[in-house]
PDB file of all heavy atoms in Angstrom:
ATOM      1  N   VAL A 119      -6.145   5.250  -5.954  1.00  0.00           N
ATOM      2  CA  VAL A 119      -4.930   5.082  -5.201  1.00  0.00           C
ATOM      3  C   VAL A 119      -5.264   4.243  -3.963  1.00  0.00           C
ATOM      4  O   VAL A 119      -6.189   4.644  -3.195  1.00  0.00           O
ATOM      5  CB  VAL A 119      -4.350   6.500  -4.768  1.00  0.00           C
ATOM      6  CG1 VAL A 119      -3.214   6.288  -3.815  1.00  0.00           C
ATOM      7  CG2 VAL A 119      -3.935   7.269  -5.977  1.00  0.00           C
ATOM      8  N   GLU A 120      -4.611   3.118  -3.758  1.00  0.00           N
ATOM      9  CA  GLU A 120      -4.795   2.286  -2.657  1.00  0.00           C
ATOM     10  C   GLU A 120      -4.296   2.908  -1.356  1.00  0.00           C
ATOM     11  O   GLU A 120      -3.220   3.558  -1.372  1.00  0.00           O
ATOM     12  CB  GLU A 120      -4.112   0.925  -2.903  1.00  0.00           C
ATOM     13  CG  GLU A 120      -4.732   0.043  -3.870  1.00  0.00           C
ATOM     14  CD  GLU A 120      -4.076  -1.340  -3.894  1.00  0.00           C
ATOM     15  OE1 GLU A 120      -3.974  -1.924  -2.876  1.00  0.00           O
ATOM     16  OE2 GLU A 120      -3.608  -1.620  -5.032  1.00  0.00           O
ATOM     17  N   TYR A 121      -5.040   2.651  -0.298  1.00  0.00           N
ATOM     18  CA  TYR A 121      -4.591   3.249   0.936  1.00  0.00           C
ATOM     19  C   TYR A 121      -4.998   2.318   2.114  1.00  0.00           C
ATOM     20  O   TYR A 121      -5.931   1.534   1.976  1.00  0.00           O
ATOM     21  CB  TYR A 121      -5.262   4.553   1.151  1.00  0.00           C
ATOM     22  CG  TYR A 121      -6.715   4.627   1.253  1.00  0.00           C
ATOM     23  CD1 TYR A 121      -7.500   4.366   2.473  1.00  0.00           C
ATOM     24  CD2 TYR A 121      -7.540   4.618   0.130  1.00  0.00           C
ATOM     25  CE1 TYR A 121      -8.831   4.275   2.539  1.00  0.00           C
ATOM     26  CE2 TYR A 121      -8.928   4.522   0.142  1.00  0.00           C
ATOM     27  CZ  TYR A 121      -9.547   4.407   1.336  1.00  0.00           C
ATOM     28  OH  TYR A 121     -10.966   4.216   1.430  1.00  0.00           O
ATOM     29  N   THR A 122      -4.367   2.510   3.218  1.00  0.00           N
ATOM     30  CA  THR A 122      -4.859   1.855   4.403  1.00  0.00           C
ATOM     31  C   THR A 122      -5.220   2.933   5.430  1.00  0.00           C
ATOM     32  O   THR A 122      -4.746   4.074   5.265  1.00  0.00           O
ATOM     33  CB  THR A 122      -3.764   0.996   5.195  1.00  0.00           C
ATOM     34  OG1 THR A 122      -2.651   1.879   5.410  1.00  0.00           O
ATOM     35  CG2 THR A 122      -3.294  -0.139   4.218  1.00  0.00           C
ATOM     36  N   ALA A 123      -6.095   2.695   6.451  1.00  0.00           N
ATOM     37  CA  ALA A 123      -6.490   3.678   7.400  1.00  0.00           C
ATOM     38  C   ALA A 123      -6.577   3.062   8.757  1.00  0.00           C
ATOM     39  O   ALA A 123      -7.008   1.972   8.850  1.00  0.00           O
ATOM     40  CB  ALA A 123      -7.787   4.239   6.984  1.00  0.00           C
ATOM     41  N   GLN A 124      -6.019   3.778   9.711  1.00  0.00           N
ATOM     42  CA  GLN A 124      -6.135   3.258  11.085  1.00  0.00           C
ATOM     43  C   GLN A 124      -6.088   4.421  12.143  1.00  0.00           C
ATOM     44  O   GLN A 124      -5.453   5.409  11.887  1.00  0.00           O
ATOM     45  CB  GLN A 124      -5.071   2.299  11.379  1.00  0.00           C
ATOM     46  CG  GLN A 124      -3.628   2.673  11.186  1.00  0.00           C
ATOM     47  CD  GLN A 124      -2.787   1.450  11.095  1.00  0.00           C
ATOM     48  OE1 GLN A 124      -2.788   0.534  11.933  1.00  0.00           O
ATOM     49  NE2 GLN A 124      -1.877   1.448  10.046  1.00  0.00           N
ATOM     50  N   VAL A 125      -6.639   4.115  13.272  1.00  0.00           N
ATOM     51  CA  VAL A 125      -6.679   5.086  14.349  1.00  0.00           C
ATOM     52  C   VAL A 125      -5.411   4.670  15.296  1.00  0.00           C
ATOM     53  O   VAL A 125      -5.386   3.552  15.769  1.00  0.00           O
ATOM     54  CB  VAL A 125      -7.907   4.963  15.197  1.00  0.00           C
ATOM     55  CG1 VAL A 125      -7.886   5.856  16.461  1.00  0.00           C
ATOM     56  CG2 VAL A 125      -9.130   5.515  14.322  1.00  0.00           C
ATOM     57  N   LEU A 126      -4.645   5.657  15.508  1.00  0.00           N
ATOM     58  CA  LEU A 126      -3.418   5.474  16.393  1.00  0.00           C
ATOM     59  C   LEU A 126      -3.176   6.808  17.066  1.00  0.00           C
ATOM     60  O   LEU A 126      -2.930   7.723  16.358  1.00  0.00           O
ATOM     61  CB  LEU A 126      -2.252   4.950  15.624  1.00  0.00           C
ATOM     62  CG  LEU A 126      -2.108   3.488  15.213  1.00  0.00           C
ATOM     63  CD1 LEU A 126      -1.022   3.294  14.276  1.00  0.00           C
ATOM     64  CD2 LEU A 126      -1.899   2.708  16.518  1.00  0.00           C
ATOM     65  N   SER A 127      -3.084   6.838  18.287  1.00  0.00           N
ATOM     66  CA  SER A 127      -2.804   8.014  19.004  1.00  0.00           C
ATOM     67  C   SER A 127      -1.326   8.211  19.430  1.00  0.00           C
ATOM     68  O   SER A 127      -0.792   7.190  20.073  1.00  0.00           O
ATOM     69  CB  SER A 127      -3.749   8.190  20.228  1.00  0.00           C
ATOM     70  OG  SER A 127      -3.251   9.145  21.023  1.00  0.00           O
ATOM     71  N   ALA A 128      -0.793   9.349  19.266  1.00  0.00           N
ATOM     72  CA  ALA A 128       0.573   9.606  19.655  1.00  0.00           C
ATOM     73  C   ALA A 128       0.651   9.578  21.237  1.00  0.00           C
ATOM     74  O   ALA A 128       1.729   9.156  21.775  1.00  0.00           O
ATOM     75  CB  ALA A 128       1.044  11.021  19.172  1.00  0.00           C
TER      76      ALA A 128
END
Side-chain angles (χ1 to χ4, degrees):
V119 171
E120 284 184 58
Y121 62 90
T122 58
Q124 55 198 313
V125 172
L126 278 171
S127 166

